Amino acid sequence: MTHLVMFEQPGTAPLHRGIVELDIDPAAERYAVLDRRDMKPLMFGVRPTTGVVRFIVPFDYTTNNHLLFLILDDTGSPAYDVAGTDKKKADLVDAKNVGSILY
Amino acid sequence: MPQAVTVYRWDDAGAPQIPNGKPSQILDVLTKCLVDGYGSKAPLGWTRPYYDAGVQAAVFRNNVAAGGSGGFAKFYSNTAADANNTVMRVTHAASMTGISDFFRQGNTQAFTATSGLTRWVLIGTSIGFYLTIDTNLSTLKMTGPGTYGVAMYVGDFYSAVPSDTSRFITMASFWNGAFSAPASEDSLYYMRATGDSAIRTPLKIYDADNFDAFSNYCLWLPFWGNTGGINNIVWQSEPTSPEVLMPAFVWLSSQNILSITTDRLGQIVRDSTVSPLLRGVLPGYGYSLKVGYGNTLWPFSKTISSQQHWLMRSYTAGGYTSAGAFINMEQWNDPFGNV
């Protein structure tokens, strides 16, 4: 069948992005990933039951160390707490072959 | 990976009902179709991470394991009350941490199942769905005056950008962006009766790489632009020649193919990988170059290229216009090969 509208399929040239994967402590309920320079969030979410989140960030974050990861405990003792790790870099990924996005 | 389509209708055995246009009734229909199933029908495999019966609000998420983006759609009563035929709001976000806590939120639109709008149909997959609610008039036609209906799309569009982080939308109107009082044009049904949709800004879509910037997008149907509500008895008939269905483009608002606008990285939008001119297409949707069907009674479906297609109604304020937008009732395919 001839397709009236033809969409060229993606070629093999990679589309570079950053990817962040976090394995979040079971005591945490929420997590946030921020750009440490301006504190703008790149992701803010609820810890999934698996504890693992995996999502795309802009390519820039694969070449610098501008990421700040935070996990938030909303139900512990004391009633709230935060832990984090700073100056992180995203992994390089081809957006055409990312695998599962989880968050 | 093609998505299998399920069609849910008000007249299915065991189907939930919307007799009074109450938010609780609409949320019940959504919950049963998306999450729980009813009668002999399995649900679409979505989840409902947040629900508050006290304010008539529910949040739904599409199925990541089945190729969905995991975006969030929130439906809620505008006044928090469970009143008859009251205004509902709908919005979307990339993530949510509470029933009213949004991350990368899009526009908030509105719709109302006004008095008499009881016949709902939901056609969807694990990644997106069309919801329509039509009047119970027994002789409801595909077009005609005074027969306003609800028609929206919720879920992922098929993006031209691989792994687009911002492809989840809620579109109760292709006409207005954010609004709280739905008018007659705020329905996908108005698509056929209007002029050029490319100048509209219904969709606020963040960059495809999860950067904190957004662009306004429209739903552009090039062959229908500027051929809007022309009333002529000719359009009461059904076309007898073979159908030709075109995709509806998620397109950068107010731009044409000669746009030299650049994205945030300095790339011309033609070739942008973060906010391209052609961002994607609406799943399962095809608009015909053979419009008509004015006197055809709703509901109506027809076989096109061996697959059943549902005809969307076309609302107009007066006289006959024409219908011709179809939803594939069997299988949706990503033309870009990304999902």
Side-chain angles (χ1 to χ4, degrees), chain A residues 9 17 41-42 44 56 95 101 103, chain B residues 61 64 94-95 163 210 273 335:
Chain A
Q9 299 304 291
R17 302 281 202 231
L42 291 152
F44 180 41
I56 283 172
I101 294 296
Y103 68 90
Chain B
R61 229 187 146 187
V64 174
S95 179
S163 301
N210 193 20
T273 60

Side-chain angles (χ1 to χ4, degrees), chain A residues 1 4-5 7-10 15 17 30-31 40-46 55-61 95-98 101-103, chain B residues 50 61 64 69-71 94-97 103-104 161-163 165 208-212 244 246-247 264 273-274 281 335-338:
Chain A
M1 178 174 126
L4 197 63
V5 178
F7 292 84
E8 186 182 11
Q9 299 304 291
L15 175 60
R17 302 281 202 231
R30 291 182 295 158
Y31 68 95
K40 278 192 176 170
L42 291 152
M43 185 53 82
F44 180 41
V46 172
F55 55 87
I56 283 172
V57 293
F59 171 72
D60 290 359
Y61 295 101
K96 292 175 179 170
N97 189 23
V98 170
I101 294 296
L102 313 162
Y103 68 90
Chain B
Y50 303 105
R61 229 187 146 187
V64 174
S69 65
S95 179
M96 291 179 73
T97 55
F103 176 74
R104 303 266 156 87
V161 183
S163 301
T165 57
D209 62 347
N210 193 20
F211 185 80
D212 186 16
V244 176
M246 304 299 292
R264 74 166 210 272
T273 60
V274 295
V281 302
F336 304 103
N338 290 321

Side-chain angles (χ1 to χ4, degrees), chain B residues 12 17 45 68 79 97 102 120 125 128 155-156 176-177 200-201 248 252 261 283:
Chain B
D12 287 337
Q17 299 298 315
T79 62
T97 55
F102 302 97
W120 63 267
T125 69
D156 294 344
N176 288 309
R200 311 304 307 188
T201 56
L252 200 58
T261 299

Side-chain angles (χ1 to χ4, degrees), chain A residues 64-80:
Chain A
N64 57 38
N65 287 75
H66 293 324
L67 295 176
L68 167 62
F69 302 157
L70 298 176
I71 55 173
L72 294 86
D73 182 359
D74 298 316
T75 60
S77 177
Y80 48 87

Side-chain angles (χ1 to χ4, degrees), chain B residues 4-247:
Chain B
V5 177
T6 307
V7 179
Y8 305 86
R9 301 165 50 133
W10 84 100
D11 56 355
D12 287 337
Q17 299 298 315
I18 307 178
N20 316 108
K22 283 179 185 266
S24 60
Q25 295 162 354
I26 292 164
L27 296 183
D28 185 41
V29 164
L30 292 168
T31 301
K32 292 218 165 83
C33 296
L34 301 177
V35 186
D36 294 338
Y38 62 80
S40 62
K41 293 212 165 156
L44 290 176
W46 291 44
T47 54
R48 190 179 72 175
Y50 303 105
Y51 173 62
D52 184 344
V55 293
Q56 295 303 333
V59 174
F60 300 95
R61 229 187 146 187
N62 72 4
N63 191 326
V64 174
S69 65
F72 292 72
K74 179 179 178 180
F75 290 80
Y76 61 100
S77 166
N78 196 40
T79 62
D82 194 27
N84 288 350
N85 314 115
T86 195
V87 174
M88 293 280 291
R89 309 295 299 279
V90 58
T91 187
H92 63 97
S95 179
M96 291 179 73
T97 55
I99 197 164
S100 298
D101 302 316
F102 302 97
F103 176 74
R104 303 266 156 87
Q105 186 182 4
N107 287 327
T108 304
Q109 300 184 332
F111 64 98
T112 308
T114 51
S115 180
L117 268 62
T118 60
R119 297 194 288 183
W120 63 267
V121 176
L122 191 149
I123 302 174
T125 69
S126 51
I127 67 157
F129 65 86
Y130 295 86
L131 172 67
T132 61
I133 312 175
D134 279 283
T135 178
N136 55 14
L137 190 67
S138 62
T139 54
L140 180 64
K141 293 176 178 174
M142 279 298 162
T143 72
T147 53
Y148 170 77
V150 172
M152 70 180 75
Y153 179 73
V154 174
D156 294 344
F157 61 86
Y158 287 133
S159 180
V161 183
S163 301
D164 188 336
T165 57
S166 308
R167 63 187 188 273
F168 192 95
I169 57 171
T170 55
M171 187 164 52
S173 173
F174 71 92
W175 185 258
N176 288 309
F179 61 97
S180 59
S184 58
E185 69 268 20
D186 292 318
S187 162
L188 294 190
Y189 283 165
Y190 198 62
M191 204 86 219
R192 178 77 281 281
T194 188
D196 191 356
S197 61
I199 59 168
R200 311 304 307 188
T201 56
L203 298 169
K204 172 185 175 182
I205 301 180
Y206 281 87
D207 283 7
D209 62 347
N210 193 20
F211 185 80
D212 186 16
F214 66 86
S215 305
N216 287 317
Y217 278 86
C218 66
L219 186 65
W220 188 37
L221 282 55
F223 287 94
W224 279 9
N226 298 321
T227 59
I230 295 168
N231 301 324
N232 191 312
I233 198 167
V234 167
W235 310 122
Q236 293 179 14
S237 65
E238 292 176 16
T240 54
S241 50
E243 289 285 354
V244 176
L245 301 186
M246 304 299 292

